[in-house]
Amino acid sequence: MTALISIHNSALEKVDHASNWLTPTLARLVFIAVLLVYYWNSAMLKIDGSIFSPSAGAFGQIFPKAAEAVLYDVSQMTFFQRIVIFFGTVAEFVLPALLLVGLFTRLAALGLIGFIWVQTLVDVTGHGVKLGSLFDAAPSILDQRTMWTFLMLVIVINGAGPLSLDRILRLK
């Protein structure tokens, strides 16, 4: 039994040593594999020729009730709505790009946590998506967004890892 414990501890000691660089690197790779294209596609749907001209889709995604009330006529958007759509679209391009290259990674991950929960709030209050609950057998939007948040928290806590511009520039 002592030999088995020794093998176990020896193997996991190597994993412990690797975790300092492996955990943040894998967290970024999982983000890139799972959510990078999701966010960039979502951002592309929000522009109509230029980032400064929001699409009817952007209006409907971010302000669904207001958009429906004016039949998705983008000329009816308020200045506030245009600003929110602009900055939301920029965030959907910039934050994932920063995570991709590992630049200001912790701040980008923190920004994405805020973005995820604003997105969730809009989905629930504006689009009627059922929030669901944790710790039940039915996966819901709450489960999904909690996992996304956890992934971003790993990056906030551990940084970008060795394969990043943060490391090259010696940013924390």
Side-chain angles (χ1 to χ4, degrees):
M1 185 66 164
T2 306
L4 183 60
I5 292 171
S6 178
I7 292 169
H8 172 270
N9 289 346
S10 176
L12 291 182
E13 188 174 313
K14 292 176 179 135
V15 172
D16 282 345
H17 289 319
S19 70
N20 289 338
W21 64 267
L22 187 60
T23 303
T25 302
L26 288 176
R28 282 186 45 234
L29 286 174
V30 169
F31 169 79
I32 292 163
V34 176
L35 293 173
L36 179 74
V37 173
Y38 166 84
Y39 278 113
W40 280 353
N41 284 341
S42 178
M44 290 300 292
L45 292 173
K46 290 179 176 67
I47 58 177
D48 191 16
S50 135
I51 197 155
F52 299 107
S53 41
S55 68
F59 193 21
Q61 281 181 340
I62 299 175
F63 296 102
K65 292 178 180 176
E68 189 176 330
V70 296
L71 303 173
Y72 299 90
D73 180 2
V74 294
S75 69
Q76 300 296 314
M77 276 191 275
T78 66
F79 179 74
F80 173 76
Q81 290 166 334
R82 287 181 182 279
I83 292 296
V84 168
I85 291 169
F86 173 77
F87 283 111
T89 305
V90 168
E92 279 189 308
F93 280 123
V94 172
L95 295 175
L98 289 173
L99 283 168
L100 175 66
V101 298
L103 181 62
F104 303 116
T105 312
R106 290 177 177 196
L107 289 175
L110 199 57
L112 264 173
I113 289 171
F115 193 94
I116 288 165
W117 290 103
V118 168
Q119 174 186 5
T120 303
L121 181 67
V122 170
D123 286 342
V124 171
T125 60
H127 296 288
V129 175
K130 300 289 182 218
L131 185 59
S133 62
L134 295 172
F135 309 112
D136 61 5
S140 65
I141 193 171
L142 182 59
D143 297 307
Q144 177 192 62
R145 304 297 166 79
T146 301
M147 291 292 286
W148 294 4
T149 300
F150 178 74
L151 180 62
M152 293 299 106
L153 279 173
V154 167
I155 296 169
V156 169
I157 293 165
N158 293 303
L163 303 173
S164 65
L165 290 177
D166 284 351
R167 183 63 54 98
I168 292 167
L169 298 172
R170 299 182 184 188
L171 298 173
K172 283 283 177 187

